[in-house]
Amino acid sequence: MDTITLNVPTLPCVGLAAAAGLLACKLIAPRRRADETERGPLPAWLDELEDDESYERVRLPEWDNGTEWRRKNGFKGSDYVHDACAAVHVPRYYLRGVSGGVGSKLVGAAHFGPGAESHRGLCHGGTMCSLMDDVVGWTGFCATGVCKPWSGFTVQINTALKKPVDVGSWLRIEGEIVKIDGRKVSVKARLLDVDGDVHCEAEGLVVLKKKS
Ligand SMILES: CCCCCCCC(=O)SCCNC(=O)CCNC(=O)[C@H](O)C(C)(C)COP(=O)(O)OP(=O)(O)OC[C@H]1O[C@@H](n2cnc3c(N)ncnc32)[C@H](O)[C@@H]1OP(=O)(O)O
């Protein structure tokens, strides 16, 4: 019968490695998700929009209330972009609605947290694409000049990545309705920094739900 020999000196090493691994998880894992306290103050221009009478803040209970409210109302998780701990996080949108829809503009701020990282210190291109998806959709929901949440579906987001985004950045996102053709709402969107440099641009299409 084969015998198994236990190499006793390896036991402390295994124990030490496990302890080091646990410590690393404790120290590193929580840092991957930024929350509001780690993001620093909101950009000042966002508060200026609050005071600008031509813009109105878009408020949604599913963004403003917690997990419990979401669960009770049919949601299964946290919002991919609007949750406080999202890797790329949009705390607010403001709408300058225009009667008839075309020319309506949605403006927001986006923070790229450590969970958005790809190469050292730089964000994954998919984070910019996700943001464009979100702003195209929410701009499309404003096809009447007022925001009608979940009134359609994003069906296309063609995004051009123009300039890398540093982890920890606050950037401005904008979406504007450029055309409405029946249920199809065409939106142009962009992501820019405080100097006006454009990090990405998108052309998107939202299909509004059929009237029931
Ligand atoms: C009720 C809860 C609403 C929730 C909203 C959630 C918002 C989001 O997050 S969207 C999530 C990601 N997007 C999706 O999952 C969309 C998936 N797509 C779909 O479900 C369907 O394609 C849907 C419902 C949008 C459209 O279906 P339907 O209502 O039958 O419209 P359909 O007749 O196919 O198309 C309408 C028009 O849009 C055009 N169109 C549809 N899809 C596309 C596309 N991908 N690209 C270009 N044009 C398109 C069609 O060609 C058609 O044009 P026309 O009127 O000139 O002939």
Side-chain angles (χ1 to χ4, degrees):
M1 197 171 96
D2 290 342
T3 53
I4 299 168
T5 316
L6 195 61
N7 186 0
V8 177
T10 59
L11 278 176
C13 299
V14 171
L16 271 176
L22 271 173
L23 190 64
C25 288
K26 281 251 181 250
L27 290 175
I28 297 164
R31 289 173 195 274
R32 287 187 55 75
R33 282 161 69 89
D35 67 13
E36 277 159 341
T37 55
E38 291 172 320
R39 297 183 196 280
L42 295 175
W45 56 260
L46 200 64
D47 285 328
E48 286 165 20
L49 283 178
E50 185 78 37
D51 300 332
D52 185 335
E53 284 183 2
S54 58
Y55 282 89
E56 191 180 342
R57 182 165 170 186
V58 175
R59 300 208 80 124
L60 261 90
E62 53 266 49
W63 296 347
D64 292 345
N65 298 319
T67 314
E68 197 51 34
W69 185 96
R70 290 177 67 89
R71 199 170 298 132
K72 278 186 186 151
N73 287 277
F75 293 86
K76 298 201 186 310
S78 54
D79 191 288
Y80 192 61
V81 163
H82 296 274
D83 183 72
C85 289
V88 55
H89 163 67
V90 174
R92 300 181 203 165
Y93 276 138
Y94 289 88
L95 171 67
R96 194 201 58 198
V98 174
S99 172
V102 175
S104 291
K105 192 171 177 181
L106 201 64
V107 179
H111 181 261
F112 292 75
E117 188 169 48
S118 173
H119 186 59
R120 200 179 303 130
L122 298 176
C123 292
H124 198 289
T127 59
M128 289 195 252
C129 296
S130 296
L131 267 187
M132 292 296 101
D133 179 4
D134 197 75
V135 72
V136 163
W138 282 97
T139 306
F141 298 164
C142 304
T144 58
V146 295
C147 183
K148 294 195 170 171
W150 315 117
S151 51
F153 298 82
T154 310
V155 296
Q156 276 196 18
I157 326 116
N158 302 324
T159 304
L161 307 179
K162 302 260 185 180
K163 188 179 174 186
V165 174
D166 291 332
V167 170
S169 308
W170 275 106
L171 298 180
R172 178 182 175 107
I173 28 175
E174 297 179 349
E176 185 166 344
I177 298 178
V178 292
K179 189 174 149 198
I180 301 178
D181 172 14
R183 292 163 57 214
K184 294 186 290 185
V185 184
S186 301
V187 174
K188 279 196 174 175
R190 58 187 192 153
L191 178 71
L192 55 163
D193 62 27
V194 72
D195 299 320
D197 286 346
V198 175
H199 289 257
C200 77
E201 287 175 335
E203 289 185 352
L205 186 67
V206 173
V207 174
L208 299 176
K209 281 195 284 185
K210 287 176 188 153
K211 288 199 176 77
S212 47

